[in-house]
Every structure is written in C-alpha cells, then in structure tokens.
Amino acid sequence: KQEVTQIPAALSVPEGENLVLNCSFTDSAIYNLQWFRQDPGKGLTSLLLIQSSQREQTSGRLNASLDKSSGRSTLYIAASQPGDSATYLCAVRGAGNNRKLIWGLGTSLAVNP
Amino acid sequence: NAGVTQTPKFQVLKTGQSMTLQCAQDMNHNSMYWYRQDPGMGLRLIYYSASEGTTDKGEVPNGYNVSRLNKREFSLRLESAAPSQTSVYFCASTRERNEQFFGPGTRLTVL
C-alpha cells in the first residue's frame, strides 16, 4: 500500500533563504507526482507535476525533482519570500489504471521578513 | 475560465439535516473528485468519477452519495448529516497527464 510522508511537518526560515521540502513514498511504481500549495483557509493550487519518466520540473523559483528508485521527491524554493508562506503538499498517483492520488500531510512553511 | 467552482462556501447544518454540495468545472475534464480535509488527517477521497455516468467509492464514502450530472457537474449529498462530517470539502478535476485542479472548498459545520 502506497504511503506518502512529508518531513518536516513545519519549517520556519528567514526571508532570502534557499530551502528544500521533502516528500517520500513507499512504492516506486508511480505514474506521476504533484506538488501543491495551500494558503490558510483556501483551496489547493497546483505548483508542479512530474511524470514518472522525468527527473525534474521547474517553474520560476521552484524546482521539483523525482528519484523513483529511492522513493523521494524534493521541492526546492530559491530566495524565499514571505509570500511563500503556506502549506506545501505532495501527492503521488499510482501506475496502471489507478486514478487516485495518495497524499502526504504537508509541510507548513513560514518565511519571516 | 472559472476553473473548478463550488457552492456554497460555508454551511452550518443541524444533525440529521440533508444538503447537497455543488461542483462544476469548465475545463472539459473527464475525471472529477470529492475530498474532505481534516486537521491531522490530510486529504481523504470520498468519491470520484472517472467519466460522465460513472462513480466509484474512495476511502471514506459512508454517509455520502454523489451524482455525476453531466461532464461539467459532480455533486455530493449528505442525506443525514452527523457531527463527524464537519470538515472542509474540496472538489477537484483532472486533465490529460492527470494534473489535478481544485475548487476553493466548502466549510461545513454540523451541530
């Protein structure tokens, strides 16, 4: 059974730092992995989607990597800003006909001015 | 494009009352989903619909029913609300490559 873990559960950094959020999964037979952002009291916003055949995806200051063999993905945020403060969630979609996402509990990020 | 829309945004019910949460997407996506989000439990799938006319149970379907009215709309019904159903409910839809998009959520309190 696929399980997704995100460590740490919470992170507080000063503005300007480069930081890495971690996501690990137990079954390497995945179709893709998606990173989301959730602001307090709001819905989820898709940040990056990495297909199983890809090693990384980039969008602006965000870079997500995928290492299927070790069951890990990282979300790198460059030059963090207070506006980056939010909860970041990763979700894994299994291979085959499985259309369901398996979710981590998220990392709550606070970027302090 | 409005994306995924949900109504209502907030709702308070008494135990035993019924209600329907509405969801619509204008992105021509085949698959749609209903989740609930609770503190410390993460997102849990209630029901999903892989295509118009089909629905399947997720992890926590008890106490809920769904209807995929057409390709755009996917509704979630609580027939007899219970305090355990107090939660934030999210609707989502999926496009090609399976990227998932979410609505803004409905915050439901059952007294």
Side-chain angles (χ1 to χ4, degrees), chain A residues 1 10-11 13 18-19 23 26 30 32 35 41 48 58-59 61 67-72 82 87 94 100 105-107:
Chain A
K1 179 185 172 186
L11 184 63
V13 300
N18 302 322
L19 57 99
C23 173
T26 55
I30 67 169
N32 59 35
W35 282 94
L48 289 163
T58 298
S59 176
R61 294 183 294 108
D67 183 344
K68 275 200 317 177
S69 61
S70 66
R72 294 176 64 181
T87 296
K100 293 177 262 191
L105 293 181
T107 294

Side-chain angles (χ1 to χ4, degrees), chain A residues 35-111:
Chain A
W35 282 94
F36 294 86
R37 167 188 174 135
Q38 185 174 29
D39 293 287
K42 304 291 186 183
L44 282 75
T45 301
S46 177
L47 295 174
L48 289 163
L49 173 74
I50 310 178
Q51 301 295 342
S52 62
S53 58
Q54 297 175 319
R55 296 300 300 267
E56 66 179 330
Q57 282 286 335
T58 298
S59 176
R61 294 183 294 108
L62 305 180
N63 176 278
S65 68
L66 175 64
D67 183 344
K68 275 200 317 177
S69 61
S70 66
R72 294 176 64 181
S73 175
T74 61
L75 179 66
Y76 175 82
I77 303 177
S80 58
Q81 303 170 358
D84 295 329
S85 298
T87 296
Y88 291 81
L89 297 110
C90 73
V92 167
R93 186 181 302 277
N97 290 324
N98 186 347
R99 294 182 181 273
K100 293 177 262 191
L101 291 176
I102 308 300
W103 293 85
L105 293 181
T107 294
S108 177
L109 173 66
V111 180

Side-chain angles (χ1 to χ4, degrees), chain B residues 1-66:
Chain B
N1 269 358
V4 181
T5 57
Q6 292 183 237
T7 56
K9 286 189 170 56
F10 301 93
Q11 184 71 49
V12 178
L13 294 177
K14 295 180 180 177
T15 297
Q17 287 185 318
S18 62
M19 78 162 295
T20 300
L21 282 65
Q22 306 286 354
C23 173
Q25 52 91 11
D26 61 1
M27 297 175 282
N28 201 36
H29 292 170
N30 285 321
S31 300
M32 297 184 73
Y33 306 78
W34 277 105
Y35 293 93
R36 60 179 288 174
Q37 187 177 38
D38 303 286
M41 311 252 339
L43 277 154
R44 292 182 290 170
L45 183 64
I46 305 171
Y47 271 94
Y48 68 102
S49 171
S51 61
E52 184 179 351
T54 69
T55 61
D56 287 284
K57 295 178 180 179
E59 299 172 68
V60 289
N62 291 344
Y64 305 95
N65 285 300
V66 290

